[in-house]
Amino acid sequence: MERPVTERLALFPLGTVLFPGLALPLHLFEDRYRLLVRDLLERPEPRRFGVVGIELGHEVGDGAAHRLAAIGCVAELREVTPHPDGRFDIVTTGTGRFRLKRLDRSRPYLQGEVEFLPDAPGLDPAPVARRVRWLFRRYRDRLVDAGAGVVDDIDLPDDPVRLSYLVAAAVVLDGHEKQRLLECEDAAHRLAAERDLLARENRILELLPMIPAGQFLDGSFNAN
């Protein structure tokens, strides 16, 4: 039996869930994360670290994240903009999921031994993918009708794995639901969960014709 591939990664606990294929810009001002970027820049490409959700605690301050999610996403460094005072603005892209096996607190920032997870399409994802595409378009239309403003058009990919991650990132859900989508074992299971969530959100939008305009489907993530 083939042993799972593991690697030691620097970890960035966040209150935001990153999905493979999606961009994540971050503004880094804490000393530990300035050090993380400097350490990454001393290594050859690809320069990557792990983004992992905070289940208990918060982002800022040593020891602020008391409990981390079991599944996270690898973030690959794409752009780095240094500032004179030592802060960094960076842009990363999610590249794959991992399971956090153990933590290492020997550096100012967390590190972890991680096991990389496959991104399989699963069993016959095509029918549920078609349903998710229809529900997602209906969801976007209803957001506009409900007062969310102009919603940018999103090109939905044919590939079920990419589709499952794009929809997971785009739908307005709380962090626990997004984390649950990240943790689904394959695209077919993730799409089935999204079908149910989109059906629920569409029913809510039918009952609430006017909602406060917020950050809908803008593809952005909050910076640290």
Side-chain angles (χ1 to χ4, degrees):
M1 185 175 177
E2 201 173 295
R3 296 183 63 183
V5 177
T6 63
E7 184 176 315
R8 182 177 296 270
L9 281 182
L11 296 178
F12 198 120
L14 270 182
T16 298
V17 178
L18 174 64
F19 293 96
L22 277 295
L24 172 63
L26 291 167
H27 175 68
L28 306 180
F29 56 86
E30 289 191 76
D31 289 341
R32 54 182 168 164
Y33 296 127
R34 298 183 191 188
L35 175 62
L36 186 155
V37 173
R38 292 196 297 269
D39 286 349
L40 287 174
L41 291 176
E42 291 179 356
R43 302 172 191 171
E45 295 181 343
R47 301 181 176 104
R48 56 189 193 170
F49 59 93
V51 171
V52 61
I54 300 170
E55 292 190 337
L56 181 64
H58 49 90
E59 295 176 1
V60 179
D62 293 336
H66 301 301
R67 187 173 69 236
L68 301 179
I71 306 295
C73 183
V74 177
E76 187 170 314
L77 200 60
R78 301 293 193 187
E79 299 177 20
V80 179
T81 303
H83 295 278
D85 62 1
R87 293 175 297 117
F88 290 97
D89 288 317
I90 66 173
V91 177
T92 71
T93 301
T95 61
R97 300 179 306 143
F98 63 82
R99 184 183 306 279
L100 181 58
K101 306 295 287 185
R102 62 184 61 85
L103 286 174
D104 177 354
R105 301 180 184 273
S106 62
R107 298 284 287 165
Y109 52 81
L110 286 174
Q111 298 178 94
E113 191 73 21
V114 305
E115 172 190 333
F116 297 112
L117 300 175
D119 275 326
L123 183 62
D124 193 19
V128 68
R130 286 194 295 271
R131 183 64 177 170
V132 165
R133 288 189 186 93
W134 185 87
L135 287 167
F136 182 74
R137 293 188 181 102
R138 190 170 181 85
Y139 170 74
R140 288 163 47 81
D141 291 343
R142 286 180 171 169
L143 280 179
V144 173
D145 293 342
V150 177
V151 177
D152 292 337
D153 191 30
I154 294 178
D155 185 21
L156 297 178
D158 293 329
D159 178 73
V161 175
R162 291 177 55 215
L163 174 67
S164 73
Y165 286 135
L166 188 150
V167 171
V171 178
V172 180
L173 300 168
D174 68 32
H176 295 295
E177 289 177 320
K178 286 193 179 263
Q179 181 65 34
R180 182 166 65 90
L181 292 175
L182 181 69
E183 294 181 2
C184 288
E185 60 184 276
D186 56 41
H189 283 84
R190 187 172 301 109
L191 288 165
E194 290 165 355
R195 174 198 59 202
D196 296 342
L197 289 167
L198 283 166
R200 182 196 70 187
E201 294 302 303
N202 281 331
R203 287 194 298 270
I204 291 171
L205 288 171
E206 282 180 355
L207 296 172
L208 301 173
M210 293 299 294
I211 59 175
Q215 294 180 354
F216 293 110
L217 301 174
D218 61 358
S220 67
F221 294 89
N222 292 329
N224 172 56

